[in-house]
Amino acid sequence: EVLLRMHSVGICGSDVHYWQHGRIGDFVVKSPMVLGHEAAGTVIKVGSGVTHLKPGDRVAIEPGVPREVDEFCKGGRYNLSPTIFFCATPPDDGNLCHYYKHSAAYCYKLPDNVTFEEGALIEPLSVGIHACRRAGVTLGSKVFISGSGPIGLVNVLVAKMMGAASVVITDLSASRLQKAKEVGADFTIQVKKESPQEVASKVEALLGCKPEITVECTGAEACIQAGIYATRSGGTLVLVGLGPEMVTVPIVNAAVREVDIRGIFRYSNTWPVAIALLASKRIDLRPLVTHRFPLERALEAFETTRRGEGVKVMLKCDPTDLNP
């Protein structure tokens, strides 16, 4: 293990949800829990067996650490391990604090040209990498992304990075769609009162064809329905956003057109590739951060996120440094 002095911690929608509702699905907060799982900091002390890190190293933290080497770990899909430790998922504490202890194997050294803030943003970026990998985005793909929050935006960045020829994104908010344009979306659709079929038609009209790949980042029933209708026969729909447990969807439409529906759960094996992309400047996450607060003003930061202001709210845990 290593002891870290935390520097930058992003606030995620799930943090806000635990704070407001005390549970997400089967994960219920039963006793006080530290929030925060998008984080980077500096190594202060290392355990006796740690060789790849030393005090003073700047690191990004992968929040999910398997507790045992089970069949999922052996198969390289450790994110599916049922006993995994995960920051800020009950009952495991997160890292929105000054000092934090974490498994050294899940702390990744940041190159000098990658900031703490970018290091913290590797966590949401990882969701995009994992989703686009599961979707099979490749050279020339036409992609429809539903939802333009932080996760929709990282999917735009990653899809374009992986060779997508054109990306169309939907949202209710004009300002969020503007941000999507800034990070590389080719087309945007501001959804108002359209039916799922109408949304699907708009997607097809803008792309000039149905997309082979849809990445659904809202969890809203109507959006999942639109995702099925929009996806080309033989294509893939990846469900990233989580909504109610039971959702009514046109499953027969998907079945008879051989539309593959895939789920994702967090990510695995994404930190090294994310660091390589950031170090080589192939991907720019800086536009995602719209608000910064010192740790002492955490409540304000959470309120800002809850109200849906900006995109990514970042907390600075080191009082001496409010720079990225």
Side-chain angles (χ1 to χ4, degrees), residues 18-19 21-24 27-33 35 89-91:
Y18 280 126
W19 168 51
H21 303 281
R23 68 180 299 155
I24 294 177
F27 298 107
V28 183
V29 180
K30 296 196 169 104
S31 55
M33 177 180 85
L35 290 167
T89 295

Side-chain angles (χ1 to χ4, degrees), residues 137-154:
V137 178
T138 187
L139 284 172
S141 296
K142 304 273 203 308
V143 181
F144 165 33
I145 294 168
S146 174
S148 190
I151 297 302
L153 296 175
V154 293

Side-chain angles (χ1 to χ4, degrees), residues 43-56:
V43 175
I44 297 175
K45 273 166 113 173
V46 299
S48 54
V50 177
T51 54
H52 72 291
L53 294 172
K54 61 185 188 306

Side-chain angles (χ1 to χ4, degrees), residues 135 210-214 231-238 254 257-262:
K210 282 184 143 96
E212 301 100 326
I213 288 160
T214 299
T231 308
R232 185 183 307 180
S233 298
T236 304
L237 166 64
V238 176
R257 298 193 302 110
E258 296 193 5
V259 171
D260 292 347
I261 300 176
R262 298 188 141 201

Side-chain angles (χ1 to χ4, degrees), residues 143-149 156 167-181 185-209 211 214 218 223 226-227 230:
V143 181
F144 165 33
I145 294 168
S146 174
S148 190
V156 172
V167 173
V168 59
I169 188 165
T170 53
D171 202 272
L172 298 167
S173 156
S175 61
R176 290 200 154 183
L177 290 172
Q178 184 51 45
K179 189 59 105 170
K181 269 258 192 271
D186 298 283
F187 307 104
T188 61
I189 298 171
Q190 188 175 2
V191 179
K192 299 209 163 65
K193 293 224 162 45
E194 295 89 343
S195 69
Q197 287 97 329
E198 286 166 341
V199 172
S201 305
K202 287 192 169 187
V203 168
E204 184 175 3
L206 281 174
L207 289 174
C209 62
T214 299
T218 72
C223 298

Side-chain angles (χ1 to χ4, degrees), residues 7-323:
H7 187 287
S8 297
V9 182
I11 299 178
C12 169
S14 70
D15 292 322
V16 175
H17 202 277
Y18 280 126
W19 168 51
Q20 292 283 299
H21 303 281
R23 68 180 299 155
I24 294 177
D26 295 336
F27 298 107
V28 183
V29 180
K30 296 196 169 104
S31 55
M33 177 180 85
V34 179
L35 290 167
H37 60 267
E38 307 177 355
T42 307
V43 175
I44 297 175
K45 273 166 113 173
V46 299
S48 54
V50 177
T51 54
H52 72 291
L53 294 172
K54 61 185 188 306
D57 283 348
R58 301 158 61 253
V59 297
I61 299 166
E62 179 172 1
V65 180
R67 286 188 168 95
E68 55 186 314
V69 181
D70 57 18
E71 58 182 309
F72 298 105
C73 291
K74 288 176 186 169
R77 300 179 74 176
Y78 57 87
N79 55 313
L80 301 178
S81 176
T83 58
I84 196 166
F85 166 92
F86 198 89
C87 294
T89 295
D92 304 332
D93 280 326
N95 42 33
L96 187 46
C97 47
H98 288 302
Y99 295 96
Y100 178 72
K101 178 170 104 280
H102 200 67
S103 164
Y106 293 80
C107 293
Y108 301 82
K109 194 171 182 322
L110 291 172
D112 293 341
N113 68 342
V114 177
T115 65
F116 282 116
E117 206 158 82
E118 289 173 304
L121 290 166
I122 291 174
E123 196 279 342
L125 176 64
S126 289
V127 178
I129 295 170
H130 192 58
C132 287
R133 278 177 174 170
R134 295 260 300 148
V137 178
T138 187
L139 284 172
S141 296
K142 304 273 203 308
V143 181
F144 165 33
I145 294 168
S146 174
S148 190
I151 297 302
L153 296 175
V154 293
N155 273 286
V156 172
L157 284 163
V158 176
K160 296 295 280 190
M161 181 75 240
M162 288 170 78
S166 43
V167 173
V168 59
I169 188 165
T170 53
D171 202 272
L172 298 167
S173 156
S175 61
R176 290 200 154 183
L177 290 172
Q178 184 51 45
K179 189 59 105 170
K181 269 258 192 271
E182 278 171 46
V183 302
D186 298 283
F187 307 104
T188 61
I189 298 171
Q190 188 175 2
V191 179
K192 299 209 163 65
K193 293 224 162 45
E194 295 89 343
S195 69
Q197 287 97 329
E198 286 166 341
V199 172
S201 305
K202 287 192 169 187
V203 168
E204 184 175 3
L206 281 174
L207 289 174
C209 62
K210 282 184 143 96
E212 301 100 326
I213 288 160
T214 299
V215 184
E216 206 300 298
C217 303
T218 72
E221 182 172 89
C223 298
I224 299 171
Q225 292 169 355
I228 289 176
Y229 291 129
T231 308
R232 185 183 307 180
S233 298
T236 304
L237 166 64
V238 176
L239 301 177
V240 183
L242 299 176
E245 187 183 357
M246 288 295 176
V247 180
T248 304
V249 291
I251 201 79
V252 175
N253 178 291
V256 298
R257 298 193 302 110
E258 296 193 5
V259 171
D260 292 347
I261 300 176
R262 298 188 141 201
I264 72 157
F265 186 62
R266 299 170 181 159
Y267 33 67
S268 60
N269 306 298
T270 56
W271 259 254
V273 68
I275 289 170
L277 288 172
L278 290 165
S280 62
K281 303 295 175 201
R282 296 295 300 279
I283 214 159
D284 185 6
L285 294 176
R286 290 169 303 181
L288 297 184
V289 182
T290 51
H291 295 74
R292 295 177 178 87
F293 292 91
L295 185 58
E296 293 63 40
R297 290 167 60 200
L299 189 57
E300 249 178 284
F302 270 79
E303 289 287 2
T304 303
T305 310
R306 185 178 62 80
R307 290 192 299 266
E309 290 172 26
V311 181
K312 181 55 70 176
V313 177
M314 194 64 67
L315 279 154
K316 301 297 183 178
C317 301
D318 183 346
T320 61
D321 181 14
L322 273 179
N323 297 315

